[in-house]
Amino acid sequence: MVKKSFIIFGASSEIALSFKQLCLEHGHTTLSISQNNNFDSLDSSIIKVKNYIDDFKAIKVKLQDYENINIIFFNGALYENRPIQFPSEEQIKMTEYINYTIPLELTKKLNAQIPGIQKFIYISSMAAVKYRYKNYIYGQNKRKLEKSIQDLNLNSYLIMRFGKVLTRMSEGHKNPPFTLSNTKAATLLMKKINSQGLVYPNFGLFVISIFLTLTPKKVINKLNL
């Protein structure tokens, strides 16, 4: 296996932490970028930022030390779980900023200013297949991100559409078929890392995506799928 450098945005998420461990086990190099204050600021493989976009210059300088670069975005926020929780106006704005604006704007900057990036990798969601009442804002922004990335005509990209992954973000949501632990999700992502385009972690989720695509939205919302 060719050794890679994985630049991990949103590195404090549970999937990101599990994925980083797999990278190290496979001999890959990692650089973790996070807004989480609990990260060790003395670790040279970690960058703590206040804002990913505003602090881009510091990130750009650090990337000069890496080769065979693969950029991966684990940024995600899910505030809605209707009818249990309807997002506030501020949460709606944050959902868009975290799930859409940050990965898209960073991709544009990185693609334009960092030569030789091998691949951009994005964590998407089954919520992007069809906007559903229970997580409409989240799904809308994941879908917007997918479409925007496809329109950028990047040299190489991978979009992984997971179902539910057991993390802090998904607490309080029911477990649909093919729910994954964060370690299993990270393992499946590593196995698919050389794939291209829009990819599902397993065939079952692909089948469900077809079902959701063909099912009228009113039926999906009524069944709370």
Side-chain angles (χ1 to χ4, degrees):
M1 179 184 292
V2 177
K3 303 306 179 185
K4 308 175 188 293
S5 294
F6 284 99
I7 313 304
I8 303 173
F9 287 90
S12 64
S13 80
E14 291 99 321
I15 310 177
L17 292 171
S18 294
F19 183 78
K20 179 178 180 178
Q21 183 59 40
L22 287 175
C23 288
L24 298 177
E25 291 173 4
H26 284 84
H28 300 307
T29 301
T30 65
L31 174 64
S32 297
I33 306 174
S34 177
Q35 294 175 301
N36 191 320
N37 290 326
N38 293 326
F39 267 39
D40 184 0
S41 60
L42 299 179
D43 188 334
S44 62
S45 69
I46 294 173
I47 301 179
K48 289 198 300 184
V49 297
K50 291 184 178 179
N51 182 289
Y52 292 105
I53 297 175
D54 293 345
D55 295 338
F56 179 76
K57 287 185 178 180
I59 295 171
K60 179 181 176 181
V61 169
K62 187 67 174 180
L63 289 185
Q64 295 175 358
D65 299 332
Y66 292 82
E67 299 178 346
N68 300 325
I69 292 175
N70 290 254
I71 306 291
I72 183 164
F73 296 97
F74 286 98
N75 309 75
L78 175 58
Y79 297 107
E80 57 192 319
N81 185 17
R82 293 179 258 183
I84 297 173
Q85 180 181 350
F86 195 95
S88 66
E89 182 177 352
E90 181 63 27
Q91 288 173 331
I92 289 172
K93 292 178 180 178
M94 287 300 295
T95 299
E96 180 176 36
Y97 185 69
I98 294 171
N99 293 288
Y100 174 71
T101 304
I102 287 176
L104 180 61
E105 292 305 311
L106 285 175
T107 296
K108 291 177 180 178
K109 288 178 177 290
L110 289 163
N111 194 47
Q113 300 182 40
I114 307 295
I117 293 178
Q118 292 185 338
K119 180 178 283 188
F120 289 90
I121 303 159
Y122 307 87
I123 306 303
S124 189
S125 168
M126 288 291 290
V129 176
K130 182 175 286 188
Y131 311 151
R132 288 162 281 168
Y133 177 73
K134 69 175 185 178
N135 52 15
Y136 187 94
I137 306 300
Y138 176 76
Q140 182 186 54
N141 282 285
K142 286 298 188 183
R143 183 63 175 270
K144 281 199 309 182
L145 177 63
E146 291 182 2
K147 182 65 167 59
S148 297
I149 295 306
Q150 291 163 348
D151 288 345
L152 286 179
N153 294 316
L154 299 171
N155 182 52
S156 179
Y157 71 88
L158 168 65
I159 299 172
M160 180 70 90
R161 257 190 197 169
F162 282 108
K164 180 178 177 180
V165 180
L166 297 173
T167 64
R168 292 186 301 272
M169 189 176 78
S170 64
E171 287 179 357
H173 293 251
K174 67 179 182 180
N175 294 339
F178 305 105
T179 294
L180 299 169
S181 67
N182 65 78
T183 53
K184 183 61 176 180
T187 299
L188 291 170
L189 176 60
M190 181 63 76
K191 288 182 178 179
K192 302 281 188 177
I193 210 69
N194 293 320
S195 302
Q196 298 285 337
L198 179 60
V199 176
Y200 293 87
N202 54 56
F203 184 71
L205 282 174
F206 173 69
V207 172
I208 291 175
S209 74
I210 295 175
F211 170 78
L212 291 175
T213 301
L214 297 176
T215 304
K217 191 176 297 184
K218 64 173 63 177
V219 175
I220 291 176
N221 288 332
K222 187 173 182 179
L223 297 175
N224 194 27
L225 297 176

